Each structure stands twice: as structure tokens, then as C-alpha cells.
Amino acid sequence: MGSSDLSPLPTPLSSSDLPSPSSLTPRKKRTRNVSVSPSKRSAATPLKRSTPTPSKRSTPTPSKRSTPSKRSTSAPLEDRWHDASEEDLSPPQFPFCPKRTPGAQLDFQKTYSPLEIFKLFFTPVVLQTLCTNTNKFAAQKRAEGGRGRWTDVTPDEMLNFLSLVVYNGLVKVSAQRDLWKKTPLFRFPFPSEVMPGYRHAAINANLHMCDPAAGVVNDQLRGKPGHDGLFRLRPLLDDLLNACRAHYHPHKNLSVDERMVATKANNRMKQYMKAKPTKWGYKLFVLADSQNGYTCNFSIYQGKSQHPSGNGLSFDAVVDLLKVPYLGTGFHVYVDNFYTSPKLFTHLHQLRFGACGTLRENRVGFPRTTENALTKKAAKGELRWIREGPLIFVKWKDARDVIMCSSIHKAFSRECVMRRVRRPDGFWSKEEIPVPEPVTEYNKYMGGVDLSDALIKYFTVHRKTFQWTTKLFLHFVDIAVVNSFIIFKEMAEAKKQKSLTQKGFRTVLCEQLAQVGMGKASTSKAEEVVIAPKPEPKPFTCYPGLVCELSDDPFLSASKGRRKCRRCKSSTIYKCEACDVPLCIIPRRMCFTEWHKDKLSQPD
């Protein structure tokens, strides 16, 4: 091998050609420690971060450069509040599967009178039970030395009594006995025609809904497991609840709320609610149809339960009202912040019920994260939302903070409402601000119980009484009358007929209840009446003429010398020449013809 075949040796490096120690730092290591500010990040282009080694994560360096930024320790996407710019997905909806067709469960081919619909709630069985227990209680009082006349009440007479109960809602008096007074100031002929005053007072004093003997046995069990605080109401209460559920099926949207039956009696069931118009009274939990206010179900609050379930009063109240075998699934339930809790809404979601309501921030299960939360100085219309499974929690700034929870809505659907907003110059103006979807739907469907309360309050049969059972009996009558009116109105609208107003419905119902048991007497009297034949009309010999001569002045020709018409009292220039009576002759007011017809129809 020759010297030409050998490769040249590499030239040795000098110290000037060697890199400096600072330039030996890897570039990737510097890039890994650079933090990006949150304002420059985009949701569409997430930050790519290298996965740190376990040793570095477990033992972070205490140097200032390696300290993570505030954004790097923020909560994950699911654990922070989102604003209106971030889109929320609509939750899947349960299909609406009611057990029956929503609405009145009657034959729409028939026509029902107000009395026939009312008898769906006060059935012959209910009336007979009322009469039997009332007669037993009256006999017991007489055996104990009670005074006063008494004859056993019959179902027809009980309906007459209910007629006067409904009449009390139409005509208000300070005392019941005023309805039977004969003084000119108090002269009401209707009550005296239905029944005497002493008979009404006797039935009212002895009215009883349960068996008196069984009621005494139940009272002896007070404080023991077998005691029923509503035993005196139980027969009528159970029959009324069954009738409310049997003859009407609610629509998709329902509302649950409290109702107060006013009283100041010294009773253990009396409650105080400062936010209600009626602050003292018996509290009822009511389930109503949001569309028309029909009372679908209700329960009477008796006080602290002896056997609590552990879920809370509000949880048990809602669950007890929602009878799944009767209702079906897919309903939307709206409640206020007394009932709303994540636990309740999750339970209803498992039953295939949607729910929406206002929420108290201190409820168990409410998100506790403060990442991107709504501040106290937020502008009106700002909102934040966070989703946890099927539940959406929304905070919205209005005149004050509004907190909602829902399992059937998305957070924001681009809707707006008008609000008065103060401008920077100090003046107020109306502006559109964004509003969350749960808020608009809640305002739309939460008023079912309030509508039912309003319909009851217009012509309520409520009056002062010493007996707490009588107080609730009158409220049961109110529920039956209002539910009957709603069914009557819905059937009329389905047939495209004009329905009666509630006052007209109660008036007709009152008259029909009063006529029960009087049909035979009225028929016999009608047969005795002899209808007299109409007199033959006399020949019409009258003719019109002028009251006076017309003035030559064109400005006074239509006004000077006029006289008042005998029939309508308006001024006229015409009269009957034969009768010498001033009468109008105008296309819209032919008093001349009408007055002579009335004159001919009168007997001599």
C-alpha cells in the first residue's frame, strides 16, 4: 500500500475553537420553562406541554424560574366556571311518556253541566260518608246532653248545604246569620229559599268527616306510632285526592310550591311563613299543572316527622307528590330554592323526570370552585355556568345574584331581556342583557301553584271558624270547585265554544246545587200553572208628526222646540199624533214602534 492511499489526519482544535460553557445549555430545556400568559392562549389552539418526569413533579426545584405560574395550577376545564362566550351542549331529554292523554279524562262527545263535573269530586259515596258521620256525631252530642233540633241529613240536603257554601264565596258577609236577616240592609232571598238558617247552622256545627268513635280511639294514640294527625279529615281527603288524579292528567310542565290556608287558631299544625301573603296558617305542599293551575296532588304538613327519611323535608315533599305510576315519565318539574338540591335533581333524573329551580348557594353539592367565578362587582347581565354530569349550575347577575340549577336546559341560548341599566354619565336607560335559559323557563312555568291560589282567592269560601277541620273542609270545597271549573273550561275550548267565567261557573253551580231534591216540587207547581192566551193585537192607528213647527233659522231648525222621548228620554222633534207622546224615529232607535208595541201588549 502506498502513501497516496492514506487519508489525511484531522487538524487538532485550538482553545479558541471550543464553544463557551453558556452555549452548551440545551435549547429544549429553556423552552420547557417558558410560561405563556393566559391572555395569549386560545381555546382553539391548546398549549402543548412536555410531560415532566416523575422525579421533577414530586420534587420541584425551589428556584424562582422553576416556580409554576398561577395559570399552570388552575382547575381542569370541568372544575371551573365558564362564561357566556363558551358554548354549552344541550342535555339529552327524556321522551314525554304520560300514562294517559294530558287533559280532562272525560267523554268530549258529551256536554257536562257544572253540577255533573262537581259531582266527580263530591261523589255519592263521599256525600253518603259525610251524611253518615255527621248524623253519628249529632246523635253523640244529643246523647251527651246537647240541645237543639236535629233531623238526619240526607245527601240531597248536603248538596243544598254545599250550595250555600259556594254562595258564601260570591256574597261576602261578616257573619253567617246575616244571610237570613229580614232587615232592608240585609235582605238575601236565596239562602232562605234553600234552607232555614237554623238548619244551616245545625249542619255546620255537626259536620264530621270521620267516624266519631274511631276518632276517639285515634286521639288516645297521640304520641304513639299508630296515631294519625289527619284522621278527622282522612275519608274526604283520600277521596278528593283520588278524584283529582282520576279525572285529569297534567301536561308536561309541573310546579311544586307551598300553599297557606289562613288561620290563627292554637293548633300544632299552624305554621309561619314570612314570605307568603298569608303568613299564619296550615301549610300544604301542592303539585299543580303549570298550564292552567289544576291541583293534581297535595299533602298537608303536620310538623316534624316522627320517622324522618334522612333526605330532608323538601326532598320528601317533592318525591311524595310525584306519583310515577300515575303520572308516567318525561315531565319537567319546577321548584323554588326551598326544594332545589343536587341530590333531589339527581334522584328525579334517575326517575326520568327533568327538574329546574332556583338554588341556595349553601346547599350540599353546590360547586365550591372559585376559578373564574362571578364577582360582586360584575355588570348586570354577566353569567357563569358549570356542568356536573346531568346538572347545570348557573349564576346570573340581575338586580342581585340569581343562582339556578337544571337538568333539562343548557346554560345560555342567546336570549336577552330588557333591563334598566345605569350609564357611566349617571342616567338610566333600557338595554338588552343576556339571560340564561333556565331563568326564562323558570319564570314561564313556575307559576302553576300561584295561578291555582289566585283562582281560589277570587271567590274563596273561606270564613272564620273555631274548628280546624271545618277550615280545611272549606278549602277542599275550593279545590273541588276550581278543578271543576278548569275541566269545564278545557272541554269548552276543545269544542271551540265560549266558556263561562269562574264567577259565572260558580253562579250556575250554586243554583244547580240548590235545586237538588226540589225537582218534583217544582215540576208539580209548573203543571198547575195555566198559561193565559196572548191577547190579539189592536189595530195600529197611530202615525208620527212633528212636535212643533220648524224654525226658519237653519241653525235652530233641528233643536228649537224639541221634547224628551217618552221611552229613551232623548230629545226628539217627532211625536205620535194620536197619542200626543214624543217618540224618537231614528234608524238605530225606533222608539215610536217599540213604545206602541209595549202599549198594545199590556192588558186593559
Side-chain angles (χ1 to χ4, degrees):
M1 178 180 300
S3 61
S4 61
D5 296 330
L6 295 176
S7 300
L9 294 175
T11 306
L13 296 175
S14 63
S15 59
S16 61
D17 296 329
L18 294 176
S20 62
S22 60
S23 62
L24 294 176
T25 304
R27 185 172 300 176
K28 289 185 178 180
K29 189 172 182 180
R30 289 202 306 270
T31 307
R32 187 182 304 157
N33 292 333
V34 173
S35 62
V36 182
S37 61
S39 60
K40 295 183 180 180
R41 294 177 184 171
S42 173
T45 58
L47 179 64
K48 295 182 180 180
R49 300 179 182 178
S50 60
T51 305
T53 59
S55 58
K56 290 185 178 180
R57 177 174 295 181
S58 58
T59 57
T61 58
S63 63
K64 183 177 180 180
R65 189 169 186 176
S66 61
T67 303
S69 64
K70 187 176 182 180
R71 180 61 179 170
S72 62
T73 60
S74 62
L77 190 64
E78 292 78 9
D79 295 337
R80 70 178 182 87
W81 291 95
H82 308 272
D83 54 24
S85 63
E86 300 177 82
E87 190 68 23
D88 179 32
L89 299 178
S90 297
Q93 301 291 324
F94 294 118
F96 182 48
C97 301
K99 290 293 183 180
R100 298 173 295 176
T101 304
Q105 304 300 308
L106 299 177
D107 187 1
F108 280 77
Q109 302 299 325
K110 298 180 180 179
T111 301
Y112 295 87
S113 65
L115 177 61
E116 291 174 336
I117 299 179
F118 180 77
K119 282 186 175 181
L120 298 175
F121 299 91
F122 279 81
T123 61
V125 176
V126 173
L127 294 172
Q128 187 59 52
T129 303
L130 277 175
C131 294
T132 302
N133 295 329
T134 300
N135 294 332
K136 287 182 179 180
F137 185 69
Q140 177 181 325
K141 288 178 65 176
R142 289 176 63 84
E144 295 173 356
R147 298 181 180 180
R149 293 176 291 179
W150 177 259
T151 55
D152 286 350
V153 63
T154 62
D156 288 348
E157 194 175 14
M158 185 61 70
L159 288 176
N160 299 152
F161 174 78
L162 291 174
S163 171
L164 295 179
V165 172
V166 178
Y167 183 76
N168 288 332
L170 297 171
V171 179
K172 300 292 185 181
V173 290
S174 58
Q176 288 291 296
R177 59 181 178 272
D178 292 343
L179 295 174
W180 285 270
K181 284 186 176 180
K182 302 299 181 183
T183 59
L185 187 60
F186 297 97
R187 186 172 294 172
F188 303 99
F190 180 77
S192 301
E193 294 176 358
V194 177
M195 66 173 55
Y198 72 88
R199 182 60 175 169
H200 177 272
I203 296 176
N204 186 57
N206 295 287
L207 186 65
H208 227 64
M209 286 164 273
C210 72
D211 189 354
V216 173
V217 175
N218 180 74
D219 292 341
Q220 295 174 353
L221 298 175
R222 182 167 297 173
K224 299 180 181 179
H227 179 258
D228 183 6
L230 300 176
F231 185 82
R232 296 183 183 275
L233 306 172
R234 188 61 64 187
L236 179 59
L237 176 61
D238 292 343
D239 291 337
L240 181 61
L241 288 175
N242 291 333
C244 290
R245 293 191 288 259
H247 303 297
Y248 188 88
H249 201 80
H251 297 83
K252 186 175 183 179
N253 297 295
L254 306 173
S255 63
V256 177
D257 204 353
E258 305 94 355
R259 176 187 294 167
M260 297 293 286
V261 180
T263 185
K264 291 187 178 179
N266 187 13
N267 189 287
R268 64 182 183 85
M269 293 195 304
K270 182 180 64 174
Q271 300 293 316
Y272 175 77
M273 297 187 67
K274 65 178 182 179
K276 290 289 184 181
T278 303
K279 302 186 183 303
W280 290 97
Y282 305 112
K283 183 165 71 172
L284 279 69
F285 297 112
V286 181
L287 174 69
D289 191 335
S290 299
Q291 180 171 320
N292 49 30
Y294 183 91
T295 301
C296 305
N297 197 2
F298 65 91
S299 61
I300 303 174
Y301 179 59
Q302 305 179 51
K304 186 177 180 180
S305 176
Q306 299 294 333
H307 305 284
S309 64
N311 296 320
L313 172 63
S314 58
F315 184 98
D316 296 339
V318 176
V319 174
D320 291 344
L321 291 175
L322 297 174
K323 307 292 184 182
V324 179
Y326 150 69
L327 289 173
T329 58
F331 288 87
H332 292 174
V333 184
Y334 292 84
V335 295
D336 61 15
N337 58 16
F338 175 75
Y339 307 93
T340 305
S341 66
K343 184 177 182 180
L344 172 63
F345 282 16
T346 303
H347 177 74
L348 294 180
H349 190 268
Q350 294 173 356
L351 298 178
R352 303 180 69 83
F353 277 77
C356 176
T358 55
L359 179 64
R360 298 175 184 176
E361 198 168 0
N362 58 356
R363 287 286 190 185
V364 175
F366 184 79
R368 299 304 175 188
T369 179
T370 58
E371 180 72 19
N372 196 31
L374 194 68
T375 61
K376 294 184 178 180
K377 295 184 179 180
K380 186 177 291 188
E382 288 192 22
L383 63 93
R384 298 290 187 273
W385 62 270
I386 186 171
R387 180 171 290 281
E388 293 185 359
L391 303 184
I392 182 75
F393 299 91
V394 180
K395 280 186 177 183
W396 180 55
K397 188 70 173 182
D398 197 13
R400 58 185 181 87
D401 290 349
V402 179
I403 306 176
M404 302 291 298
C405 180
S406 176
S407 63
I408 51 181
H409 304 113
K410 60 186 298 187
F412 184 52
S413 56
R414 308 299 173 185
E415 296 184 12
C416 296
V417 292
M418 297 296 296
R419 289 290 189 272
R420 293 180 70 246
V421 180
R422 191 169 186 173
R423 299 188 308 225
D425 56 3
F427 291 95
W428 293 83
S429 63
K430 287 188 176 181
E431 296 180 5
E432 286 190 347
I433 63 172
V435 57
E437 184 178 355
V439 174
T440 57
E441 296 297 301
Y442 177 85
N443 292 335
K444 185 177 180 181
Y445 296 115
M446 182 55 198
V449 179
D450 295 336
L451 176 58
S452 178
D453 292 345
L455 292 173
I456 290 175
K457 289 291 185 181
Y458 288 146
F459 305 100
T460 179
V461 302
H462 167 271
R463 56 181 173 81
K464 291 183 178 180
T465 177
F466 290 103
Q467 298 292 331
W468 69 273
T469 53
T470 305
K471 177 76 69 173
L472 290 172
F473 170 80
L474 296 176
H475 185 69
F476 294 164
V477 175
D478 270 331
I479 292 175
V481 173
V482 170
N483 283 359
S484 301
F485 167 68
I486 293 173
I487 293 176
F488 181 86
K489 182 179 179 181
E490 183 170 305
M491 295 189 69
E493 292 176 351
K495 298 177 182 179
K496 298 183 179 180
Q497 298 175 355
K498 185 177 180 181
S499 175
L500 294 172
T501 61
Q502 186 186 180
K503 184 177 182 180
F505 178 86
R506 286 179 179 258
T507 302
V508 175
L509 176 62
C510 186
E511 294 173 350
Q512 292 179 348
L513 286 170
Q515 293 171 2
V516 174
M518 303 180 184
K520 295 182 179 180
S522 60
T523 304
S524 60
K525 290 181 180 180
E527 292 175 352
E528 296 175 358
V529 176
V530 178
I531 301 176
K534 293 183 179 181
E536 296 182 0
K538 298 179 180 179
F540 192 78
T541 58
C542 300
Y543 59 94
L546 296 176
V547 174
C548 60
E549 295 182 0
L550 299 178
S551 175
D552 296 334
D553 189 349
F555 296 100
L556 301 176
S557 60
S559 59
K560 185 178 181 180
R562 286 189 173 215
R563 296 171 60 185
K564 284 189 177 181
C565 174
R566 179 70 60 86
R567 190 170 185 272
C568 69
K569 307 304 180 183
S570 300
S571 59
T572 180
I573 60 174
Y574 299 103
K575 70 173 182 177
C576 176
E577 291 289 353
C579 304
D580 194 22
V581 175
L583 296 166
C584 297
I585 304 178
I586 302 176
R588 296 184 180 179
R589 194 169 64 246
M590 292 296 292
C591 297
F592 184 89
T593 305
E594 298 297 331
W595 185 84
H596 283 92
K597 286 182 179 180
D598 295 341
K599 182 181 178 182
L600 292 175
S601 62
Q602 294 176 0
D604 294 337

